[in-house]
Amino acid sequence: MFGFNRKKIEIQPEDEVTLKPIFGIEPGTYLAVVYALIILGLLFLLLFYPGLTKPGSQFTINTEPSGAAIRIDDVYQGTSPCRIFIPQGQHRLTAVLPGFTPEEQTVTSGNRVFASLLFPLHTTLSLELKAEDPIQPVLEGVKSYAAWSFAGEPSATYQVPLVLSEAMYRGAYQASKSDHIDELKGLLAAAARFAGTTVALRDLSRTQFFVHSGGLAPSGLATLSSLQDALAYLNENPAASRWLAAALPSASAQLLTNSDWYKKNSAASQNPMANINGEQVQLGSRINIGPLQFQGIHSGTSTFYMAETEVTQKAWDAFVAEHPEWAKDKKEQLIAQGLVGPDYLETPQDRAYPSGAVPGISYYAAKAFCTWLDTKVPQSLRSAKGVRFQIRLPTEKEWYLASSNFGNKVFANILGGLWEWCSTPYVHIPELSAPEKYINLIGSSEFVVKGGSWANKTQTIQPETRASLPPDSSSPFVGFRPVFAIEDSHE
């Protein structure tokens, strides 16, 4: 009826691959063998290869106290509790924790050839660390806490570890068992002088609870005792008012500064040297020692002579002539020894720099100069019996007595010349009281510098002004002036 043009559509078959027999073996047979070999190879790699190429076993290492550095043959592997792989054979395992005697053992690590990757040979070791001196672990923690206090407040990218409370947690149990609780409290009081930031205060508060609980979880009674001690400490230290105001978060600090307790106590502790302001201070005679002239100062508690000028380039050259190891061309060696910084003896190109003063002196270099100058003290000044004499850097108290009573009128450029090194280790809150024994045990990673420099505005520099630097620091803004101290040799 209708006509259509019909076309024949042909479907072309796809290309086919035909495997041929190999050496007369049909494809189905040799493919099965190939697949089997691949599976066997994978099983070998999974079950046998690790045990053959990396023989050894896993060790889980626990220590009491925890937190010890674990070393295998003197190579650091982790911190306890930890799980580490130890190669097959005998090895020396050492657990090290500051303040504790290192615990050392010889361990034998075996090997499991079959399925060692999935089911490794495993051994658990538990080590107990002991301290010969039960106070030493806590002391090491306090020293670390003091060093970290110079890092300032932490940020999102920079955190400060709670090293003080961790050390007390590790060491308080053994110390309290051996009746050293008073020593722990003494160390805690000395540590409080470094608590100048919020995180440092939090670490200190946490430590307080561990002292009263003996390193265990605080009980209700221990918590109450801790709070009572803290309140008593605050009551005995008027300076704690300004300390807390500076260290607490802003909202809490605002509540504190509005309190009557704060207003009463802060007024009595504005000056860190307030306790010596009532001393009678007067000038004594003048003496010459080596290339420097000294002015005598008599106070209610001491007699000493202070150099009238900061150490001059001429005086320094005389020292270096006898001790060339401190010469400028030895700077790289001195830096390598950790005694000076890159700006050692570098004079700034600025007209305001004090004329004639030696520049860029580190604390160590200043001490070396004082030791040398001590050999130049005339015998006539050493003739008195019952006293001892020494050329050294001034204490912060001595420096303050000289600057606050006589200032630049007697001691040239003592304010606004160069910052001047003192022998006093720096703490952030020196007004807080603590037993002298523990203050000396802790020391500090930085030393006090006083007086400001030629780069500071005059109105910002007072006798009370203080700062700190690491002892190897060499700065064009820092110099020193020695004192000739006369002390009772029977003290």
Side-chain angles (χ1 to χ4, degrees):
M1 203 173 170
F2 297 97
F4 291 94
N5 291 324
R6 295 182 178 180
K7 292 183 179 180
K8 185 177 180 181
I9 301 175
E10 295 182 358
I11 299 176
Q12 298 294 329
E14 294 181 1
D15 294 335
E16 295 182 358
V17 177
T18 303
L19 297 177
K20 298 179 180 180
I22 299 177
F23 301 115
I25 302 174
E26 292 298 323
T29 303
Y30 65 70
L31 282 177
V33 172
V34 170
Y35 292 147
L37 290 174
I38 292 174
I39 293 172
L40 289 174
L42 292 174
L43 289 174
F44 174 79
L45 292 174
L46 180 65
L47 300 178
F48 292 93
Y49 185 77
L52 293 172
T53 59
K54 193 178 180 182
S57 55
Q58 295 285 341
F59 279 71
T60 294
I61 301 172
N62 301 301
T63 65
E64 179 56 42
S66 61
I70 304 302
R71 300 172 182 168
I72 301 298
D73 299 330
D74 295 325
V75 178
Y76 174 77
Q77 301 291 329
T79 301
S80 66
C82 61
R83 182 167 177 163
I84 60 176
F85 176 83
I86 301 181
Q88 185 178 18
Q90 284 195 337
H91 300 272
R92 185 174 71 260
L93 182 150
T94 310
V96 180
L97 193 61
F100 290 84
T101 302
E103 180 67 20
E104 186 174 298
Q105 285 191 9
T106 299
V107 295
T108 301
S109 178
N111 184 47
R112 174 177 289 156
V113 175
F114 177 73
S116 63
L117 186 64
L118 302 175
F119 308 103
L121 201 62
H122 182 265
T123 302
T124 298
L125 286 179
S126 295
L127 307 175
E128 182 179 1
L129 283 75
K130 296 182 179 180
E132 293 183 7
D133 180 355
I135 294 300
Q136 194 62 32
V138 179
L139 177 59
E140 294 296 328
V142 177
K143 288 181 177 180
S144 181
Y145 174 77
W148 273 105
S149 71
F150 292 96
E153 287 284 6
S155 66
T157 58
Y158 178 78
Q159 295 298 308
V160 174
L162 302 179
V163 290
L164 180 60
S165 53
E166 288 299 316
M168 190 65 74
Y169 172 75
R170 293 193 297 259
Y173 180 71
Q174 183 176 340
S176 59
K177 280 180 62 178
S178 53
D179 296 324
H180 286 81
I181 190 69
D182 288 340
E183 286 89 338
L184 295 183
K185 291 181 178 180
L187 286 172
L188 187 65
R193 292 155 53 87
F194 290 93
T197 63
T198 302
V199 68
L201 185 60
R202 182 180 64 177
D203 198 5
L204 186 74
S205 302
R206 187 169 178 246
T207 305
Q208 169 81 1
F209 286 102
F210 285 137
V211 169
H212 287 267
S213 65
L216 304 175
S219 64
L221 185 61
T223 300
L224 180 60
S225 175
S226 175
L227 290 174
Q228 288 175 333
D229 260 18
L231 291 173
Y233 180 79
L234 294 175
N235 188 56
E236 294 167 1
N237 283 273
S241 57
R242 292 190 298 109
W243 164 49
L244 291 177
L248 287 172
S250 57
S252 301
Q254 185 64 42
L255 291 174
L256 176 66
T257 54
N258 288 334
S259 69
D260 292 337
W261 176 80
Y262 175 83
K263 294 173 183 177
K264 174 185 175 182
N265 287 283
S266 62
S269 59
Q270 290 293 329
N271 179 4
M273 293 293 170
N275 61 323
I276 64 172
N277 273 348
E279 291 188 13
Q280 295 295 319
V281 182
Q282 58 184 5
L283 293 175
S285 58
R286 300 168 78 185
I287 59 174
N288 291 322
I289 301 177
L292 297 177
Q293 189 167 57
F294 289 74
Q295 173 67 64
I297 298 177
H298 303 292
S299 74
T301 57
S302 62
T303 295
F304 62 96
Y305 292 79
M306 177 174 276
E308 294 182 350
T309 64
E310 291 161 338
V311 170
T312 63
Q313 185 67 58
K314 179 180 178 181
W316 185 261
D317 290 343
F319 159 63
V320 171
E322 296 185 29
H323 292 276
E325 67 273 18
W326 289 97
K328 186 175 182 179
D329 60 7
K330 299 295 194 299
K331 180 169 68 173
E332 294 305 319
Q333 295 94 312
L334 293 169
I335 290 175
Q337 297 173 58
L339 297 176
V340 304
D343 287 330
Y344 179 61
L345 299 179
E346 295 292 340
T347 303
Q349 301 302 311
D350 195 301
R351 293 181 180 179
Y353 184 81
S355 177
V358 64
I361 299 296
S362 69
Y363 174 85
Y364 295 125
K367 282 192 66 176
F369 178 92
C370 291
T371 300
W372 165 78
L373 190 60
D374 194 63
T375 66
K376 307 302 179 184
V377 176
Q379 187 58 40
S380 59
L381 296 177
R382 297 187 184 274
S383 59
K385 295 182 179 180
V387 294
R388 63 174 180 264
F389 307 87
Q390 184 184 21
I391 298 283
R392 55 169 171 75
L393 292 172
T395 64
E396 185 174 8
K397 174 184 175 180
E398 290 168 341
W399 192 98
Y400 178 79
L401 286 172
S403 64
S404 60
N405 288 277
F406 311 111
N408 290 338
K409 293 180 180 179
V410 175
F411 300 100
N413 289 331
I414 198 169
L415 295 174
L418 294 173
W419 287 97
E420 298 179 7
W421 287 109
C422 292
S423 63
T424 305
Y426 184 90
V427 296
H428 304 293
I429 313 106
E431 305 95 316
L432 295 179
S433 63
E436 193 71 23
K437 171 185 176 181
Y438 300 106
I439 291 175
N440 294 333
L441 276 176
I442 295 172
S444 177
S445 59
E446 298 195 4
F447 286 84
V448 171
V449 289
K450 299 282 288 182
S453 81
W454 52 275
N456 298 110
K457 294 180 179 179
T458 304
Q459 62 270 27
T460 66
I461 302 300
Q462 304 295 331
E464 294 80 12
T465 305
R466 63 200 304 266
S468 70
L469 284 172
D472 63 341
S473 176
S474 301
S475 166
F477 307 106
V478 180
F480 71 106
R481 70 179 73 218
V483 297
F484 177 52
I486 304 174
E487 301 163 346
D488 185 346
S489 62
H490 301 297
E491 290 182 352

